[in-house]
Amino acid sequence: MASPHRIGVDDPDVDMDLAQRLLCRDELFTGEVAEYQNGQLVCLDDYVNGVRDGSSRAWYPDGTLKLEGTVRNGVALGEFKEWHANGVLKSRQMFDNYLYDLREESVWDEEGRLVRDWHRE
């Protein structure tokens, strides 16, 4: 049976196997996985064969964007951004495209002031 394009993480047909891969109706899932709180979409991740792979986005309950980035084979890749609830950028992380390792990170407070700026040598 083919998996649906989008499922809810709390759907009764959704489970995890021993390898922590996402299953829908006992099959590895490929498509979008949504999480809702009080009817509001708060998280949306792409999965391929049961593993997070593709875009990853999260929102605050009021709909304000909270997090955005890309995951490949379950590991963060490239740029990830996170915002404070007031819409100000909270952090920017750059993950190595080959080593799947954090190579730089900048963090700002709720007023937009830089509080940390780190780069791997």
Side-chain angles (χ1 to χ4, degrees):
M1 177 194 297
S3 297
H5 179 65
R6 181 186 280 186
I7 59 173
V9 71
D10 295 323
D11 289 354
D13 292 331
V14 174
D15 202 359
M16 294 286 244
D17 68 8
L18 294 175
Q20 296 301 301
R21 296 174 302 180
L22 192 77
L23 304 171
C24 182
R25 296 183 200 104
D26 297 322
E27 293 183 15
L28 294 174
F29 179 75
T30 296
E32 294 180 328
V33 178
E35 181 179 349
Y36 297 88
Q37 289 180 358
N38 299 321
Q40 175 70 34
L41 179 66
V42 294
C43 188
L44 188 62
D45 292 304
D46 290 335
Y47 277 73
V48 175
N49 295 322
V51 178
R52 282 179 55 201
D53 194 288
S55 66
S56 180
R57 296 171 307 273
W59 295 267
Y60 289 99
D62 70 357
T64 302
L65 188 61
K66 180 178 185 177
L67 177 77
E68 185 173 57
T70 301
V71 177
R72 288 286 177 252
N73 201 25
V75 180
L77 176 71
E79 183 178 62
F80 256 80
K81 289 183 178 179
E82 184 176 2
W83 290 266
H84 291 282
N86 66 2
V88 171
L89 187 62
K90 179 178 184 177
S91 68
R92 179 184 170 272
Q93 298 175 317
M94 288 296 295
F95 292 89
D96 192 291
N97 291 340
Y98 303 103
L99 301 175
Y100 302 115
D101 195 21
L102 182 64
R103 68 177 196 224
E104 61 184 72
E105 178 179 47
S106 300
V107 178
W108 295 267
D109 66 16
E110 290 184 0
E111 302 300 318
R113 292 181 294 258
L114 187 65
V115 295
R116 184 173 64 219
D117 198 27
W118 173 84
H119 301 271
R120 186 176 68 208
E121 301 285 326

